[in-house]
Amino acid sequence: MKRQILTLFFCIFSLLSFSQNATTIKVHFLYGSKPLKKYKDTESKWFGGVLGGHVGIEGDSGMVLSFIHHGKFHWFAKKNSRHSLYAEHSVKSFDGLMTRNADSVKRAIVYIPVTLQQKQQFDSIESAYLKQTPYDYAFFGMRCGAATYEILGQLNILPRYSISKTSTKIFYPEKLRKRLFKKAAHNSWQIERYKGSPTRKWEKDR
């Protein structure tokens, strides 16, 4: 009986200790889409179509950090001419990047528990990347999916790769989403899902 009480006490202490030394970051996904045939005249096309979309990371500031192109679009990355930018958006403005009606967008949010050390590391990365972009934005290079993966790799949430390997493996956001959803299911992480407007053909999770 005494041993059982000690075990219970240890479990409670461990849970309390973890809760005091942990927090959460959120990965926001906007799904790619194109207008259904009968809505082509009234619905706009989005960059990337069904294989497009966007992704960013939210810390505890209520702002979503995401990687975007800035200036002339590059097909291939240029180290000495970086037309890219890390930007912060409110959750509402992030959800509305593709359209004025943010509530019509199919989206998902993955809640990832992290330690305070990981959160502090994310804050440092965010601060540094907002001051100076670390790489160019290019079609055959780093874009939002690969850039978000690169940060999660630094936090040891996902396996870390070189920049070139990251950009090849995570060619668009669905490649990252598939990995995170699988990890979320394994670790019982929370995922919020929103269906999006029925006037569009939305990217599906595979």
Side-chain angles (χ1 to χ4, degrees):
M1 183 68 179
K2 185 176 180 181
R3 188 174 182 179
Q4 291 175 328
I5 293 173
L6 287 173
T7 301
L8 179 61
F9 177 79
F10 177 77
C11 290
I12 293 172
F13 177 79
S14 297
L15 287 170
L16 288 173
S17 178
F18 178 80
S19 65
Q20 291 173 352
N21 293 281
T23 185
T24 302
I25 62 172
K26 305 171 190 176
V27 180
H28 292 252
F29 289 98
L30 306 179
Y31 284 66
S33 71
K34 64 180 182 179
L36 293 176
K37 191 173 182 178
K38 62 180 179 179
Y39 295 103
K40 283 186 176 180
D41 294 333
T42 56
E43 291 276 342
S44 61
K45 295 180 179 179
W46 296 355
F47 176 78
V50 176
L51 295 181
H54 196 48
V55 58
I57 307 177
E58 177 190 357
D60 57 5
S61 64
M63 304 296 289
V64 182
L65 178 72
S66 73
F67 185 62
I68 57 177
H69 79 272
H70 180 67
K72 185 178 178 181
F73 182 78
H74 288 164
W75 286 97
F76 297 94
K78 298 181 181 181
K79 290 183 179 179
N80 298 322
S81 180
R82 295 177 181 175
H83 288 186
S84 59
L85 185 71
Y86 265 96
E88 281 187 321
H89 320 266
S90 68
V91 174
K92 186 175 181 179
S93 64
F94 180 84
D95 291 345
L97 285 175
M98 304 291 185
T99 176
R100 292 179 181 177
N101 184 8
D103 292 334
S104 70
V105 180
K106 182 178 179 180
R107 58 197 193 277
I109 306 171
V110 182
Y111 290 73
I112 304 176
V114 295
T115 64
L116 290 182
Q117 184 177 4
Q118 286 173 304
K119 177 57 175 56
Q120 289 167 358
Q121 185 180 5
F122 170 74
D123 290 342
S124 296
I125 294 169
E126 180 178 33
S127 178
Y129 283 10
L130 285 171
K131 289 177 182 176
Q132 183 173 355
T133 181
Y135 26 67
D136 190 21
Y137 185 107
F139 185 81
F140 295 105
M142 296 295 283
R143 289 182 285 147
C144 64
T148 302
Y149 186 103
E150 190 266 335
I151 293 176
L152 296 175
Q154 288 192 59
L155 301 179
N156 293 316
I157 292 169
L158 293 170
R160 191 172 184 180
Y161 304 127
S162 66
I163 295 298
S164 60
K165 189 173 182 179
T166 300
S167 63
T168 302
K169 279 185 167 290
I170 314 298
F171 196 62
Y172 50 91
E174 190 271 339
K175 298 293 185 181
L176 170 61
R177 195 169 61 244
K178 184 176 180 180
R179 285 166 168 79
L180 270 190
F181 279 11
K182 183 177 180 180
K183 197 170 180 70
H186 179 75
N187 292 287
S188 299
W189 295 345
Q190 179 186 355
I191 302 177
E192 282 185 16
R193 303 173 191 263
Y194 301 87
K195 290 184 178 181
S197 170
T199 62
R200 305 185 70 85
K201 179 181 178 181
W202 294 98
E203 176 185 13
K204 295 180 179 179
D205 291 310
R206 290 172 282 182

